[in-house]
Amino acid sequence: MQAEPGFYSPLQYSPVWMWAGLALLAVVAGWYVFVFAATRHPRTTAHRMRAASLTDLPALKAAYLQRIDDVERAAAAGQRSVRASHQDLSRLLRSFVRDASGVDALRMTRQDLERHPLPAAASAVGALYPGEFGQEPLPPVSTAAARARETVSTWG
């Protein structure tokens, strides 16, 4: 038994433990910064977003102009209905926009095309809507073909 009950203060920790704890926190924070920086998506710049010219535009135009002529001839010969011909022209025009610009216009509405920097395509697709979705009597296929032909010819 102790003869003199005295007060003993708590033992002090060595300053090495404080510095070891701070170093461990710095290592963990550094790890999070590294993981975040290594896994984030890189910023896209304007020059990266420009469509690469992977196709020969004059040859592409000629091919689509021929297809538009084929649809117009088939409609005039009575091989295709007027509505189906308008739908074919719309599909051809949207395919041309996709092939010429890289924008998947086949899955876009007219409003989507207007929000995208493709005003000529949006205008042409909007002009083809009455023939695709309107009530009878439908506009002539020759008018829609001329509009599609004009859009393809003046592209780019």
Side-chain angles (χ1 to χ4, degrees):
M1 206 147 103
Q2 199 173 17
E4 190 178 316
F7 176 73
Y8 294 105
S9 64
L11 294 175
Q12 296 295 318
Y13 290 107
S14 171
V16 172
W17 289 111
M18 180 188 69
W19 291 111
L22 289 176
L24 183 62
L25 285 175
V27 167
V28 169
W31 174 254
Y32 277 109
V33 168
F34 169 74
V35 168
F36 176 73
T39 59
R40 72 183 195 112
H41 294 292
R43 292 183 184 193
T44 57
T45 58
H47 71 276
R48 282 192 205 164
M49 291 182 65
R50 276 186 257 141
S53 179
L54 299 177
T55 60
D56 180 19
L57 191 57
L60 187 67
K61 285 182 180 183
Y64 275 96
L65 289 172
Q66 178 61 45
R67 291 176 186 168
I68 291 169
D69 291 340
D70 293 343
V71 169
E72 186 178 17
R73 266 189 248 109
Q79 297 170 346
R80 302 274 302 163
S81 71
V82 175
R83 188 172 309 276
S85 299
H86 280 282
Q87 290 169 346
D88 287 345
L89 288 172
S90 177
R91 183 183 47 78
L92 283 173
L93 185 61
R94 290 167 180 269
S95 296
F96 172 77
V97 170
R98 180 199 58 209
D99 293 346
S101 69
V103 175
D104 192 11
L106 288 169
R107 291 171 175 49
M108 296 173 83
T109 64
R110 181 181 52 83
Q111 289 84 11
D112 292 338
L113 289 169
E114 286 173 351
R115 283 190 297 263
H116 215 278
L118 299 169
S123 169
V125 167
L128 295 177
Y129 269 16
E132 284 186 274
F133 306 113
Q135 296 178 350
E136 301 284 338
L138 299 175
V141 175
S142 59
T143 306
R147 181 63 189 260
R149 199 176 292 113
E150 175 191 353
T151 303
V152 170
S153 297
T154 60
W155 189 267

